[in-house]
Amino acid sequence: MANTHAEKTKQLRKDVAPFAKSETRLSVQQLLNTLLPLLLIWGAGYILLQYSPWYTALCSVLASGFVIRAFIIFHDCTHGSFFKSKKANAIIGNITGVLTSFPYEKWKREHTIHHATSSNLDKRGIGDIDMLTVDEYLEKSKLSRLGYRLYRNPIVMFGLGPLFMVLILNRFNRKDAKRKERLNTYFTNIVLLVICTTLIVIFGWSTFLLVHGLTLFIAGALGIWLFYIQHTYEDSYFEVDSEWDYVKAAVEGSSYYKLPKILQWITGNIGFHHVHHLAPRVPNYKLEDAHESIKPLQQATTITLKTSLESIRYKLYDPDNYRFITFKEAAEREIMRGKTITN
């Protein structure tokens, strides 16, 4: 059985390898149809404010979609998959990092760790959305449980989450960050400070917040949602380190988020998250082709816009039954355990 699994894994990696090659023409084309519209819509937002703030707000909503698409380019650059040249990836990665408020080197390292430890119960904590197992939650104090419940509350996660990410998480390095990473974060912060200050001086606080603030807030909320939904669904794969398997973590621990074509385009095909986790060097514009061409990849859990809403309920992972459960289910288990101990 082990040999069969190893052979299937080897074949799957071999099948996906041809797609793990960037094409300069397609990358440049994506840059043009993403960054130019983003800058034009932002510009229109400032100009249209003299007619109505609602026009500006509409521009911010439209711009948020292109910020997500710009982030996917940034994301590919951190994996070295957008261009063949390491230097080109770094340049475009830093530019799109500024546009989306993400420091290139910091996110590059932390996201690499996420890929290497995704779905590993013994290696959580970097690049992940915090998640507790049922036993871990039940062993915590009432205050710690409250903190976790607040963290997993949709209003906090998707409402306050974008603010925390943009204003705090992306602005500071982890203690173990090396000099290159720290300097890059400082550079990104300084560039952002200069740009934001200039816009505020020219247009004012309220206008800046309505254009850039609203754009980044919406994009941040949607980005967190995409990351959340593609690792949080009822039968998602999680395993202890000794049993953890990279391919299973990719194909079974990452979903295929089947979106309408327009949303698939805006989100840079990141819905094919299982393909991306299996082979991070596949550029976003080839993820769909890989999925459609390789049958084993089509067995990944498929989630639609409608069914994805169910995942908001899932708060804790049950490693004994390999599934997510709700807080209500956890409470029922705690009561049953109490009765068992009493009896």
Side-chain angles (χ1 to χ4, degrees):
M1 181 68 71
N3 288 335
T4 300
H5 175 67
E7 290 171 1
K8 288 182 178 179
T9 298
K10 184 178 180 180
Q11 184 60 48
L12 190 56
R13 288 177 177 274
K14 183 179 179 180
D15 290 341
V16 79
F19 298 94
K21 298 176 182 177
S22 64
E23 293 185 33
T24 301
R25 177 182 62 82
L26 294 177
S27 295
V28 171
Q29 179 178 311
Q30 191 170 68
L31 278 174
L32 294 175
N33 64 32
T34 300
L35 301 190
L36 287 181
L38 173 60
L39 296 176
L40 288 173
I41 293 171
W42 265 337
Y46 283 104
I47 295 172
L48 292 175
L49 184 61
Q50 61 184 308
Y51 300 104
S52 171
W54 290 107
Y55 293 154
T56 298
L58 177 59
C59 286
S60 296
V61 172
L62 293 174
S64 67
F66 286 93
V67 166
I68 292 174
R69 191 165 163 80
F71 176 81
I72 297 301
I73 293 175
F74 163 84
H75 168 256
D76 275 11
C77 288
T78 64
H79 282 295
S81 63
F82 199 66
F83 287 111
K84 295 180 177 67
S85 165
K86 182 178 180 180
K87 184 177 181 181
N89 281 314
I91 292 173
I92 297 302
N94 276 287
I95 292 173
T96 50
V98 168
L99 291 173
T100 57
S101 89
F102 282 80
Y104 179 73
E105 295 293 341
K106 167 182 162 64
W107 206 81
K108 177 181 178 181
R109 180 175 73 93
E110 293 179 2
H111 192 61
T112 298
I113 294 174
H114 163 70
H115 271 262
T117 59
S118 179
S119 297
N120 190 320
L121 289 174
D122 295 323
K123 295 182 178 180
R124 286 168 284 168
I126 299 180
D128 301 317
I129 289 177
D130 289 348
M131 182 273 294
L132 295 177
T133 64
V134 179
D135 288 341
E136 289 170 344
Y137 175 76
L138 295 180
E139 290 170 2
K140 288 188 174 295
S141 66
K142 289 184 178 180
L143 185 60
S144 295
R145 290 187 189 186
L146 177 61
Y148 182 73
R149 292 177 77 98
L150 287 173
Y151 172 81
R152 300 286 295 201
N153 185 286
I155 296 175
V156 174
M157 182 170 288
F158 307 115
L160 299 180
L163 299 177
F164 177 76
M165 180 175 65
V166 172
L167 299 176
I168 299 175
L169 190 62
N170 288 353
R171 308 281 67 86
F172 300 95
N173 290 106
R174 295 176 63 87
K175 292 181 180 180
D176 59 348
K178 294 184 178 180
R179 185 171 183 271
K180 181 181 180 181
E181 180 181 327
R182 292 183 183 280
L183 290 176
N184 181 258
T185 300
Y186 300 153
F187 167 78
T188 303
N189 290 344
I190 291 171
V191 173
L192 282 172
L193 181 62
V194 171
I195 292 174
C196 294
T197 300
T198 302
L199 291 172
I200 290 170
V201 169
I202 296 174
F203 299 103
W205 268 104
S206 59
T207 303
F208 171 77
L209 290 177
L210 186 57
V211 178
H212 279 79
L214 183 58
T215 295
L216 290 179
F217 176 79
I218 296 173
L222 293 175
I224 292 173
W225 168 253
L226 286 170
F227 192 82
Y228 173 87
I229 191 60
Q230 296 189 304
H231 292 287
T232 307
Y233 46 94
E234 187 172 12
D235 59 348
S236 184
Y237 170 88
F238 282 89
E239 190 58 89
V240 295
D241 188 50
S242 59
E243 301 295 328
W244 182 82
D245 180 85
Y246 179 85
V247 173
K248 283 188 176 182
V251 180
E252 297 178 24
S254 303
S255 68
Y256 163 36
Y257 198 10
K258 190 174 183 179
L259 297 169
K261 284 298 181 180
I262 182 61
L263 293 182
Q264 181 182 321
W265 186 86
I266 286 293
T267 57
N269 296 311
I270 201 61
F272 297 95
H273 210 59
H274 57 302
V275 183
H276 170 65
H277 262 267
L278 175 65
R281 294 301 293 269
V282 176
N284 71 82
Y285 46 76
K286 290 188 177 181
L287 291 174
E288 182 176 14
D289 290 342
H291 172 82
E292 296 295 338
S293 302
I294 304 171
K295 286 188 177 181
L297 293 179
Q298 297 167 19
Q299 297 173 8
T301 299
T302 300
I303 297 174
T304 64
L305 279 175
K306 182 179 179 180
T307 59
S308 66
L309 297 177
E310 298 174 4
S311 291
I312 297 176
R313 301 168 51 242
Y314 301 131
K315 311 295 184 179
L316 302 162
Y317 191 73
D318 177 5
D320 294 328
N321 295 297
Y322 298 98
R323 58 184 288 264
F324 272 98
I325 67 170
T326 65
F327 283 132
K328 181 180 179 180
E329 290 175 286
E332 292 171 351
R333 291 192 186 188
E334 186 172 32
I335 293 173
M336 292 304 297
R337 287 184 183 184
K339 289 182 178 180
T340 300
I341 293 173
T342 302
N343 293 336

